């Protein structure tokens, strides 16, 4: 099983600033990585797939990068609606595994 | 509009059984692989099970293998999860989610509580 490790667990950011979230895989997943956004009381929403392709409905301030074992989600110019928990998920092999999440909170 | 609506959750005693359902609409259900993903209270996401479009291939996480069974009825646009021998650690919100690789649509979830 591939273990996905996200850091930091919590990120305190002021509105308008940039947030950088990290996701590390215990072995290479190529670019078979997705990011999800989850707001309180809601289901997760697909944000990024293929490590860097934005899903429908998400603005360009969200960007993903990386390959192999190291991945980054960057949110430029944080808006109030961006404060949420973000999860990475690998789909290189079964079982599909998620990171433990990074909570982006208002500073 | 794609919609996934879960049902069947509730309170069950340890060792008991429960069957979850997911009603799909707004897309050709039989053309998409489906999954169950769960989230324990205050915790992260855990993939539980996968089923292929025809229902001929299924995968399970080690934590539920041998106890849970995923199935689908393409004629009824429905996905199911039969959960047996339930344990306290199975307490979670259970989501159905579409997709083989990434999960592009999710239901709102149904809460399963295993407690005496």
């Amino acid at each position: 099983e591939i273990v996905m490790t996200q850091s930091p667990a919590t990120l305190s950011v002021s509105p308008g600033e940039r947030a950088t979230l990290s996701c590390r895989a215990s072995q290479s997943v190529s670019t078979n990585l997705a990011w999800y956004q989850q707001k309180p009381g809601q289901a997760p929403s697909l944000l990024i797939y293929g490590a860097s392709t934005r899903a429908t409905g998400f603005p360009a301030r969200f960007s993903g990068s990386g390959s192999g074992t190291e991945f980054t989600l960057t949110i430029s110019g944080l808006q109030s609606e961006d404060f949420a928990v973000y999860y990475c998920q690998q789909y290189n092999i079964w079982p599909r595994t998620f990171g433990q999440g990074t909570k982006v909170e208002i500073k | 509009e794609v919609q996934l609506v879960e049902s069947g959750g509730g309170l069950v005693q340890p060792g008991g059984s429960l069957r979850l359902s997911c009603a799909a609409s707004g897309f050709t259900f039989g053309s998409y692989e489906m999954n169950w993903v769960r989230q324990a209270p205050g915790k992260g996401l855990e993939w539980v099970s996968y089923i292929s479009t025809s229902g001929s291939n299924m995968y399970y996480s080690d934590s539920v293998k041998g106890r849970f069974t995923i199935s689908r009825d393409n004629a009824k646009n429905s996905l199911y999860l039969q959960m047996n021998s339930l344990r306290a650690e199975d307490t979670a919100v259970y989501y159905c989610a579409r997709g083989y690789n990434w999960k592009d649509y999710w239901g709102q979830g149904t809460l399963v509580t295993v407690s005496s």
Side-chain angles (χ1 to χ4, degrees), chain A residues 1 34 36 38 41-46 48-50 87 89-91 94-100, chain B residues 35 37 39 43-47 50 59-62 95 100-109:
Chain A
E1 169 175 318
Y36 301 87
Q38 187 178 34
Q42 296 185 17
S45 296
L46 176 66
I48 298 278
Y49 59 93
Y87 295 94
Q89 177 232 318
Q90 67 81 20
Y91 50 88
W94 295 95
R96 307 315 197 203
T97 47
F98 292 88
Q100 79 279 20
Chain B
N35 304 265
V37 178
Q39 186 169 36
K43 303 298 184 182
L45 301 170
E46 179 190 13
W47 168 80
Y50 155 91
Y59 302 139
Y60 299 93
S61 66
D62 285 347
Y95 297 101
Y100 180 79
N101 292 321
W102 56 88
K103 317 293 176 250
D104 60 354
Y105 286 95
W106 300 61
Q108 282 305 302

Side-chain angles (χ1 to χ4, degrees), chain A residues 33-36 46-55 62-64 73:
Chain A
L33 185 104
W35 290 92
Y36 301 87
L46 176 66
L47 171 59
I48 298 278
Y49 59 93
S52 61
T53 302
R54 250 185 346 269
F62 291 92
S63 63
L73 174 68

Side-chain angles (χ1 to χ4, degrees), chain A residues 1-58:
Chain A
E1 169 175 318
I2 296 177
V3 177
M4 306 300 293
T5 303
Q6 292 184 241
S7 61
T10 304
L11 189 59
S12 298
V13 185
S14 299
E17 292 188 342
R18 171 181 294 190
T20 302
L21 289 67
S22 294
C23 175
R24 175 176 294 178
S26 60
Q27 64 188 76
S28 177
V29 299
S30 184
T31 55
N32 296 317
L33 185 104
W35 290 92
Y36 301 87
Q37 178 192 70
Q38 187 178 34
K39 298 180 180 180
Q42 296 185 17
S45 296
L46 176 66
L47 171 59
I48 298 278
Y49 59 93
S52 61
T53 302
R54 250 185 346 269
T56 303
F58 282 93

Side-chain angles (χ1 to χ4, degrees), chain B residues 4-74:
Chain B
L4 298 169
V5 180
E6 301 92 339
S7 60
L11 175 64
V12 61
Q13 293 188 338
S17 298
L18 213 54
R19 188 194 195 208
L20 306 183
S21 299
C22 172
S25 61
F27 66 102
T28 305
F29 179 71
S31 297
Y32 289 86
E33 294 93 346
M34 297 295 296
N35 304 265
W36 288 98
V37 178
R38 69 184 179 184
Q39 186 169 36
K43 303 298 184 182
L45 301 170
E46 179 190 13
W47 168 80
V48 172
S49 185
Y50 155 91
I51 189 166
S52 61
T53 54
S54 65
S56 58
N57 289 316
M58 295 88 78
Y59 302 139
Y60 299 93
S61 66
D62 285 347
S63 60
V64 307
K65 198 174 296 181
R67 300 187 298 123
F68 290 11
T69 302
I70 191 171
S71 62
R72 65 190 296 163
D73 185 335
N74 289 342

Side-chain angles (χ1 to χ4, degrees), chain A residues 48-94:
Chain A
I48 298 278
Y49 59 93
S52 61
T53 302
R54 250 185 346 269
T56 303
F58 282 93
R61 64 178 180 271
F62 291 92
S63 63
S65 63
S67 65
T69 61
E70 300 285 342
F71 301 88
T72 300
L73 174 68
T74 301
I75 313 171
S76 303
L78 269 158
Q79 305 290 309
S80 58
E81 60 267 29
D82 301 335
F83 293 95
V85 180
Y86 294 84
Y87 295 94
C88 61
Q89 177 232 318
Q90 67 81 20
Y91 50 88
N92 196 53
I93 64 169
W94 295 95

